[in-house]
Amino acid sequence: GVGQVVDAALTDGAAYASSFLFSSLNQIPMMWPGQRGHNLLDSGCPYYNTYGTKDGRYMAVGALEPQFYTDLLKGLELENAQLPHQMELPKWGELAKAFKEKFASKSQSEWVDVFSKLDACVTPVLTFAEAAKHPHNRERGMFVEVPGGAAEPTPSPKLSANPIELD
């Protein structure tokens, strides 16, 4: 057969993975209306951010879609009617303040318990060691222990006909 050269670079992959971001620049103005820290996906949006907890840990929030936002408010025990509208950008600061105060009122493990019962796209921010031991990641075989006891990610993608074998 005829072969070909596979030209693959990490930077090419990163650029391609960000295709949505580039195409949204002009198509979805609310995503990128201002400077860094004032946009939908760069910590400007209160329902796509991280928040400190009572024990000094953090929770990650990615409740962009309406059904996730509804469950976020339910988990935080906040009434939608008493808050600025989700898409009211000039009032995102008020919304962020309310979320920050709520998240600071409980420990990370308490929030994990609250949000484990809801579909709100709210998860704990884990250390590297915690991520390697997380049940989801263990189930997927995402990490292996290497000599010395450290965990390292396994290669991806996983191929059914050629399973990963690490020495």
Side-chain angles (χ1 to χ4, degrees), residues 69 73 76-86 88 91 94-95 98-99 102:
Y69 184 76
L73 296 185
L76 293 174
E77 297 178 341
L78 291 170
E79 293 295 324
N80 198 13
Q82 297 173 344
L83 297 168
H85 188 273
Q86 177 184 5
E88 196 172 352
K91 297 204 175 181
E94 291 176 42
L95 206 49
F99 292 174
K102 277 292 190 172

Side-chain angles (χ1 to χ4, degrees), residues 12-160:
D12 294 350
Y16 185 72
S18 64
S19 295
F20 170 73
L21 300 176
F22 279 89
S23 66
S24 69
L25 287 173
N26 296 319
Q27 295 176 14
I28 310 171
M30 74 162 287
M31 280 190 65
W32 309 110
Q35 302 172 344
R36 183 181 296 181
H38 296 278
N39 303 292
L40 190 65
L41 302 178
D42 72 349
S43 79
C45 176
Y47 45 93
Y48 196 86
N49 210 334
T50 57
Y51 293 94
T53 58
K54 187 178 183 178
D55 56 353
R57 306 290 306 271
Y58 290 86
M59 295 296 289
V61 176
L64 292 173
E65 297 176 42
Q67 69 274 21
F68 302 133
Y69 184 76
T70 297
D71 275 358
L72 168 64
L73 296 185
K74 186 183 295 183
L76 293 174
E77 297 178 341
L78 291 170
E79 293 295 324
N80 198 13
Q82 297 173 344
L83 297 168
H85 188 273
Q86 177 184 5
M87 298 299 182
E88 196 172 352
L89 278 66
K91 297 204 175 181
W92 273 0
E94 291 176 42
L95 206 49
K97 183 179 180 213
F99 292 174
K100 182 179 179 180
E101 289 172 0
K102 277 292 190 172
F103 276 109
S105 71
K106 294 183 183 184
S107 69
Q108 184 188 65
S109 62
E110 290 173 304
W111 285 120
V112 167
D113 185 53
V114 167
F115 285 105
S116 69
K117 299 167 185 75
L118 298 167
D119 191 10
C121 295
V122 177
T123 59
V125 175
L126 304 174
T127 65
F128 287 112
E130 290 169 332
K133 293 177 182 172
H134 190 276
H136 173 80
N137 298 338
R138 288 174 86 72
E139 176 71 25
R140 294 210 29 85
M142 291 175 59
F143 294 90
V144 294
E145 191 173 309
V146 296
E152 288 188 5
T154 57
S156 182
K158 292 169 177 48
L159 307 172
S160 61

